[in-house]
Structures are given as C-alpha cells and as structure tokens.
C-alpha cells in the first residue's frame, strides 16, 4: 500500500510519440521527485520540486519535461525519447526538513520501441 | 561527491538464517541514512532510518546502526523469512546550502533470495 500513486504502471511508446507520466501523493507532502531506475545502475535523481517550484534538474535531457501544478501532483512529459530511456520511472514525495524520508510510488515501466 | 557502496549480491540464504548486508558511505557533513526495500514489480519502501551518529533504526526485525567512525550502516536481521526476498538499497540524504529538501544518493542494491 502506498500514499504515492503513479499512472500508468506500464507504457510502451515509439520514439516520435508524446506521452505523460502522472504521480499523485496523498500524504500532505510539499516536495516531489522524479527518479530513473535502469538495469544495473543506481537510482538517478532527475528532478526535485519544492513547494511547487523546480529546484533541481540533474542534467536531464530536454526530451523530459516535468510539471508540478500543485503540491499533490507531478507530471513527466515525454517527447522524442531514445531507446536508452527505457527504464522504471519512480516518483517520490516528502515533507521538507532535515531527516525526512522520501516515500515512493510503484513506478511506471517505460519501454521505447 | 557523495557515494554509497553496498556488498555485491545476490545473497542467497535459507529461512531462519542470519542476514547482514554491508553498506558504507562517503559524504561531507552529517547525512541521514536509510535502508529501502523493493519487492518485485513495486517501488521502493522505506525500511528504516537513522539521522545521527550511533542512532539505531529498526523495523520488521531489521536493524542498522549509524557508525560515523567507520562510515557504515550495515543491515542485519536475526532470522530471515521467504517473504524477505527483495532488493535492498542503502541510501544517504544530505541537505546542501541551507536547503530543506534532501538529495538521496543510493547504493547499487543487493538482491536477497531466501529459500524455504
């Protein structure tokens, strides 16, 4: 059971498609995060939103475009992806403040054809 | 930069065996430390945490102690069950420049398989 819900759970798309990943948190948190989990690599932080403002962008290519319309919702818009972008994309949220753990959703498994 | 190193897996144990998964870290300042667990087809779940030196985190029979002198946070469980089979991630979080949001750095994960 998780307070962070991600949809869809699985997504297959071609390199020229446009799609969006959605994340919703029901925990009253005020920070949200996107991570990428690839096979045989540590989890990579992609973006951080704090109080709905983007505060981190870890050198992520522009074909990934995040959006945070309010503190409960986070989107990742995808356009013209590459095969190496196939991965599990995880959303997380947390309270602000030191020592606060991040709570993760179950992820979206993305496959690029 | 920050880094987390976990013992390489996979680790295969029989039910009721003792578990240790080693984790060491490199970081400046005073990070908080976490263990997360990922079951097949799911996201990461927080297993336990410790926020300062000598703190012991514990949950569901798992324990880990924040050892600043050895920069370690080893995960232990006295008697594992088949249901503990999963991938375990050690992680640290550090707050830079007065920010109140943390940047998690993960280890590579250790696969644990427990047989009946």
């Amino acid at each position: 059971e998780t307070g962070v819900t991600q949809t869809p759970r699985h997504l297959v798309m071609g390199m020229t498609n446009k799609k969006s990943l959605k994340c919703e948190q029901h925990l009253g948190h005020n920070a949200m995060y996107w991570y990428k989990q690839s096979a045989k690599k540590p989890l990579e932080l992609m973006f951080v939103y704090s109080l709905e403002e983007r505060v981190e962008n870890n050198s992520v290519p522009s074909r990934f475009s995040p959006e945070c319309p309010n503190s409960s919702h986070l989107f990742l818009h995808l356009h013209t992806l590459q095969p190496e972008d196939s991965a599990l994309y995880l959303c997380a949220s947390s309270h602000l403040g030191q020592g606060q753990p991040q709570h993760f959703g179950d992820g979206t498994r993305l496959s690029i054809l | 930069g920050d880094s987390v190193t976990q013992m390489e897996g996979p680790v295969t144990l029989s039910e009721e065996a003792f578990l240790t998964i080693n984790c060491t870290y490199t970081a400046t300042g005073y990070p908080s430390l976490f263990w997360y667990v990922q079951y097949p087809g799911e996201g990461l779940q927080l297993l336990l945490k410790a926020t300062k030196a000598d703190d012991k985190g514990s949950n569901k029979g798992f324990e880990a102690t924040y050892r600043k002198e050895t920069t370690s946070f080893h995960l232990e469980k006295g008697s594992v069950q088949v249901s503990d089979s999963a991938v375990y991630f050690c992680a640290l979080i550090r707050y830079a420049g007065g920010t109140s949001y943390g940047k998690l750095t993960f280890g590579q994960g250790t696969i644990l398989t427990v047989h009946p």
Side-chain angles (χ1 to χ4, degrees):
Chain A
E1 183 179 340
T2 175
V4 181
T5 304
Q6 290 187 244
T7 55
R9 291 296 310 275
H10 302 273
L11 178 62
V12 179
M13 57 187 286
M15 289 192 286
T16 58
N17 292 157
K18 287 184 181 181
K19 296 285 184 183
S20 296
L21 309 185
K22 179 182 176 181
C23 176
E24 183 175 1
Q25 60 95 1
H26 314 277
L27 301 168
H29 291 161
N30 42 21
M32 297 189 78
Y33 312 79
W34 279 116
Y35 288 87
K36 177 182 179 183
Q37 186 177 30
S38 305
K40 302 189 187 301
K41 291 177 67 175
L43 279 85
E44 303 170 63
L45 177 65
M46 300 175 72
F47 300 105
V48 180
Y49 277 82
S50 172
L51 300 172
E52 301 159 42
E53 178 183 351
R54 191 192 312 179
V55 293
E56 289 281 344
N57 177 345
N58 271 8
S59 304
V60 180
S62 59
R63 58 185 183 269
F64 295 91
S65 175
E67 178 190 3
C68 186
N70 55 61
S71 61
S72 299
H73 294 87
L74 184 66
F75 294 90
L76 187 63
H77 304 299
L78 315 172
H79 180 226
T80 321
L81 296 193
Q82 304 300 309
E84 61 265 28
D85 297 323
S86 297
L88 181 68
Y89 288 85
L90 291 165
C91 173
S93 67
S94 74
H95 290 297
L96 292 170
Q98 303 235 351
Q100 296 294 332
Q102 294 176 17
H103 297 259
F104 286 79
D106 286 340
T108 295
R109 174 69 63 187
L110 176 65
S111 299
I112 306 301
L113 300 178
Chain B
D2 298 339
S3 67
V4 176
T5 302
Q6 292 179 231
M7 65 185 286
E8 289 198 23
V11 174
T12 303
L13 296 172
S14 297
E15 207 164 25
E16 299 183 3
F18 183 84
L19 168 71
T20 299
I21 300 178
N22 289 339
C23 170
T24 56
Y25 68 90
T26 302
T28 56
Y30 302 94
S32 295
L33 302 174
F34 302 89
W35 277 99
Y36 283 87
V37 57
Q38 186 175 32
Y39 298 101
E42 298 183 11
L44 277 70
Q45 298 178 26
L46 178 67
L47 183 59
L48 52 84
K49 72 172 188 176
T51 57
K52 62 183 187 296
D54 300 324
D55 267 2
K56 176 186 282 187
S58 61
N59 185 26
K60 300 180 182 178
F62 291 90
E63 293 183 339
T65 301
Y66 188 158
R67 301 285 188 201
K68 190 163 179 63
E69 65 275 13
T70 54
T71 62
S72 64
F73 193 54
H74 305 320
L75 182 68
E76 296 182 338
K77 186 174 185 182
S79 176
V80 294
Q81 306 300 312
V82 173
S83 57
D84 293 326
S85 297
V87 183
Y88 291 81
F89 293 90
C90 185
L92 68 83
I93 196 166
R94 194 164 62 83
Y95 302 83
T99 61
S100 57
Y101 63 90
K103 297 176 69 173
L104 271 171
T105 299
F106 287 89
Q108 71 272 33
T110 301
I111 299 172
L112 170 66
T113 302
V114 180
H115 293 295

